[in-house]
Amino acid sequence: MDEYDIAVVGGGPGGYIAAIRAVQLGFKTAVVEKEKNLGGICLNWGCIPTKSLLRASEAYRLIKRAEEFGIKVKNVSFDIQSIVKYSKNIVNKLSSGIAYLMRKNNIKVYQGFGKLVGNRTIKISSSGGEHEISSKRIILATGVRARNLPGIEVDGDLIWNAQHAIALDKLPKSLLIIGSGAIGIEFASFCSTLGVDVSIIEAKNTILPLEDKDISGLAQEIFMRQGIKIYTNNSVKTITKNKGSVQVQLSSGKNKEFDKVIVAVGVQANTENIGLENTKVKLSPSGFIETNEWYETCEPNVYAIGDVAGPPCLAHKASREAMVCVEKIAGKDVHVLKKECVPNCTYSYPQIASVGLTEEQAIKDGYDIKIGKFHSNFSSKSIVLGETDGLVKTVIDKRTGELLGAHLLGAEVTELISSFVLAKQIEVTDLDIKSTIFPHPTISEMMHESVLAADNESLNS
């Protein structure tokens, strides 16, 4: 039986990063992954392919606007199969890169389904049969999968999940997206840009329900201006499959017909059949593996990181948890991950990004706050880019000047948010941000102006 210091079950952005860091710290390490390619949902079916599709739609949108910039372009068109091929090529390139990193770091990769047999043994099932490996410590990084809705069967034909949607070979004329989180909004933005008649249904009273209400409200206004139909405070009452279409009755009483439906209502943890019954590992009421701040489970020598260990289910959060977990095992001095410093990003048009508390959460938590807002139509760089739909909003503690939260909508805000994340991580104050020189002309100046605006000191609005 092969023996290891650390064995990781799952090769996604939590698992493969844990393996690399373990080798760097001197541990003999293995990864068990049931799929052919490493990278997990994020690389193969989520983050990377969707961003590739959105990049293609961004290029198409800009070319259609070319005359605004004095450029003449005729007969603009696209080929959806070529767009999907572009996405797949990027996935393959990055997947090959991870495989190279495994070889470079001498990490043994077992392709097969891993199951715990106690707290030091993993049984691996593959097409070649079954065998076991032994490890002093086991890290579970099995991730999540798309959650289904009762009564709505995802069949890959008329009703899709995200995995089906990124591999489409033909665009539907009409599309209903159930759920308005990041996944639903990104597919809505992609398909709408390419001419699909898109509708979104959301059970709550606003789209993007985890975002600050000023951001989600402005986003909804912009998306509806773009032609996306949005039905909030609504749900699917009945759904009937016809030949080539789906008839949907909403809880509001409206009946609608769509060519395709995408179900994007969240995720559930992959905890089935991985041998938890052979351990003392416990699950939370929502089905995720319970851990402490160092990702130790209730079973000695067994750890859990990433999406399977609970929300927010984000690749960058999983990677950081991997680092914390392995470094703690190695006895290093490690900082606990601060969930309030984990950024959220939605790569729609316009983009949305946030970190920390919303205004509503800050008030609920008892903070005395001040709010700063700066709109893109006052930003010289945004005007130059022709991207004037946007807002930067900051939530600041009046007493201490602490940045409690930052919420952004507009061009490239998924890049800007890192500066606010760093500010929160190192606990800067509003005075620190005010005293920082932001280059001109840049979109980043909006961050500065937003903090200034919290004290009515904005210079450009």
Side-chain angles (χ1 to χ4, degrees), residues 435-456:
S435 304
T436 300
I437 299 173
F438 288 74
H440 176 79
T442 61
I443 302 172
S444 67
E445 290 175 289
M446 293 177 61
M447 302 166 64
H448 189 223
E449 290 280 359
S450 175
V451 175
L452 289 170
D455 289 316
N456 296 314

Side-chain angles (χ1 to χ4, degrees), residues 1-282:
M1 182 186 298
D2 295 333
E3 297 183 356
Y4 296 92
D5 297 316
I6 292 179
V8 185
V9 182
Y16 85 80
I17 291 295
I20 292 172
R21 187 64 181 131
V23 169
Q24 290 175 345
L25 292 171
F27 295 109
K28 183 182 179 184
T29 305
V31 171
V32 181
E33 171 55 59
K34 67 184 179 68
E35 301 293 342
K36 179 181 178 182
N37 294 327
L38 296 172
I41 290 293
C42 176
L43 172 53
N44 294 289
W45 304 107
C47 318
I48 301 304
T50 54
K51 279 36 162 194
S52 304
L53 297 177
L54 285 160
R55 174 61 171 168
S57 69
E58 177 187 21
Y60 178 66
R61 183 179 64 251
L62 281 172
I63 293 169
K64 286 183 68 178
R65 293 180 58 192
E67 287 200 19
E68 294 179 31
F69 307 102
I71 300 171
K72 301 286 186 180
V73 180
K74 293 183 179 180
N75 302 320
V76 182
S77 63
F78 64 87
D79 175 48
I80 188 61
Q81 293 182 5
S82 295
I83 290 175
V84 171
K85 183 179 178 181
Y86 166 74
S87 171
K88 288 181 178 178
N89 287 342
I90 290 174
V91 169
N92 290 336
K93 182 176 182 179
L94 292 174
S95 180
S96 297
I98 296 176
Y100 162 76
L101 290 173
M102 297 297 101
R103 294 191 300 272
K104 174 188 173 184
N105 289 282
N106 295 314
I107 297 167
K108 174 65 176 177
V109 178
Y110 294 89
Q111 187 181 346
F113 190 91
K115 182 174 182 177
L116 295 178
V117 183
N119 64 0
R120 287 181 180 264
T121 306
I122 302 170
K123 181 170 72 174
I124 303 170
S125 303
S126 67
S127 57
E130 294 183 348
H131 65 284
E132 295 183 350
I133 64 172
S134 173
S135 182
K136 295 175 183 176
R137 293 180 178 86
I138 297 171
I139 299 175
L140 300 174
T142 52
V144 293
R145 64 188 182 277
R147 187 164 66 88
N148 294 322
L149 284 173
I152 301 179
E153 179 191 358
V154 174
D155 57 13
D157 178 21
L158 295 174
I159 303 177
W160 297 343
N161 58 27
Q163 188 168 332
H164 302 119
I166 65 165
L168 74 174
D169 58 5
K170 182 181 178 182
L171 282 173
K173 290 184 179 178
S174 61
L175 172 68
L176 173 66
I177 298 174
I178 304 174
S180 69
I183 294 172
I185 292 297
E186 287 179 359
F187 277 115
S189 192
F190 169 72
C191 291
S192 177
T193 299
L194 298 185
V196 178
D197 183 5
V198 176
S199 298
I200 298 172
I201 183 169
E202 170 55 54
K204 297 186 178 179
N205 62 5
T206 178
I207 64 168
L208 296 159
L210 298 180
E211 299 293 343
D212 186 272
K213 288 186 177 179
D214 281 337
I215 297 296
S216 58
L218 180 56
Q220 181 165 326
E221 177 188 321
I222 294 168
F223 293 144
M224 292 180 72
R225 240 191 287 143
Q226 293 172 357
I228 298 173
K229 302 175 183 68
I230 297 174
Y231 303 93
T232 53
N233 291 313
N234 238 308
S235 60
V236 173
K237 189 173 181 182
T238 62
I239 189 163
T240 306
K241 297 179 184 179
N242 302 318
K243 186 176 180 180
S245 68
V246 177
Q247 194 74 31
V248 178
Q249 182 181 23
L250 305 183
S251 59
S252 61
K254 292 183 179 180
N255 284 287
K256 302 283 182 180
E257 187 175 18
F258 302 94
D259 291 340
K260 304 289 182 184
V261 174
I262 295 177
V263 178
V265 291
V267 294
Q268 62 188 81
N270 292 325
T271 57
E272 300 88 351
N273 304 316
I274 61 172
L276 298 186
E277 68 277 8
N278 301 320
T279 71
K280 298 175 183 176
V281 173
K282 293 182 180 178

